Amino acid sequence: DSGVTQTPKHLITATGQRVTLRCSPRSGDLSVYWYQQSLDQGLQFLIQYYNGEERAKGNILERFSAQQFPDLHSELNLSSLELGDSALYFCASSVGTGGRETQYFGPGTRLLVL
Amino acid sequence: DQQVKQNSPSLSVQEGRISILNCDYTNSMFDYFLWYKKYPAEGPTFLISISSIKDKNEDGRFTVFLNKSAKHLSLHIVPSQPGDSAVYFCAADTHANTGNQFYFGTGTSLTVIP
């Protein structure tokens, strides 16, 4: 158990809909990262938040947004969903914001868009 | 564009033998490399890392070798055990990142046969 929790574990929705994925980092970790793993793809970095502020941005679509709240949990919002958004979404956390820190991953949320 | 590549989707090895997992990268700015291990229905867990100032790092049965000129790294597991059966992801980072953004490969599924 990494100490990172993600809810829900599974999500099935329809095209055009909007969903919210939630992540609680390990106790004491200030950074939260979101990754997308599509079929036969590696983990694609989406975005990083550190202590409530956006720190780094990767290949995140404009239809996707994220935020980190004062209690350090984070939410990833996916809107106008398309079939291609079906994927595993992982959240990870680390203590700080750089310096080669180990990222601890949650179990993921599996999203299926029909 | 996949900057970190794992060209072998799967590998089978007999228990007690050596497992060698390979990873290639294209970005010469990468200077820190990691291996993560993932069991089904779990998030990736950190295994071992190496900085570009080294060419080898060892941790118990796991050794990572880095060949900067070839932009290649490998993970050796000796001896392999059935519990090592998992998907292994190679990841890379660059000091140019303001955050802690890792670039992941697509993974190699290792099966250790008892």
Side-chain angles (χ1 to χ4, degrees), chain A residues 16-57:
Chain A
Q17 295 298 303
R18 181 180 191 274
V19 297
T20 298
L21 312 184
R22 183 189 167 102
C23 169
S24 292
R26 291 188 323 155
S27 177
D29 284 359
L30 298 179
S31 272
V32 169
Y33 312 80
W34 286 98
Y35 289 87
Q36 179 193 55
Q37 185 185 15
S38 302
L39 192 64
D40 295 332
Q41 296 289 316
L43 285 82
Q44 300 289 323
F45 170 74
L46 296 178
I47 197 163
Q48 176 197 0
Y49 276 83
Y50 172 73
N51 204 20
E53 297 197 359
E54 184 182 302
R55 182 70 178 179
K57 210 166 187 175

Side-chain angles (χ1 to χ4, degrees), chain B:
Chain B
D1 181 30
Q2 195 74 22
Q3 299 186 56
V4 178
K5 299 177 185 178
Q6 294 176 258
N7 293 319
S8 298
S10 63
L11 175 69
S12 289
V13 171
Q14 289 286 339
E15 181 178 3
R17 305 295 290 267
I18 183 171
S19 295
I20 300 176
L21 295 93
N22 293 304
C23 177
D24 297 293
Y25 60 96
T26 57
N27 189 339
S28 58
M29 298 290 286
F30 288 147
D31 58 0
Y32 185 70
F33 304 88
L34 312 91
W35 285 93
Y36 275 80
K37 173 177 170 179
K38 183 183 179 305
Y39 291 118
E42 295 182 12
T45 56
F46 171 74
L47 191 57
I48 193 169
S49 64
I50 187 167
S51 166
S52 61
I53 61 173
K54 294 184 173 182
D55 53 20
K56 176 183 172 181
N57 189 27
E58 195 170 349
D59 183 1
R61 297 185 296 113
F62 302 90
T63 303
V64 57
F65 295 91
L66 175 62
N67 182 335
K68 290 185 289 293
S69 60
K71 294 192 178 70
H72 176 84
L73 65 156
S74 60
L75 175 69
H76 292 210
I77 306 174
V78 182
S80 301
Q81 299 174 354
D84 296 329
S85 296
V87 177
Y88 289 79
F89 290 97
C90 168
D93 191 13
T94 166
H95 64 273
N97 281 340
T98 54
N100 201 26
Q101 176 180 342
F102 293 159
Y103 297 83
F104 280 84
T106 52
T108 296
S109 178
L110 173 66
T111 301
V112 179
I113 304 165

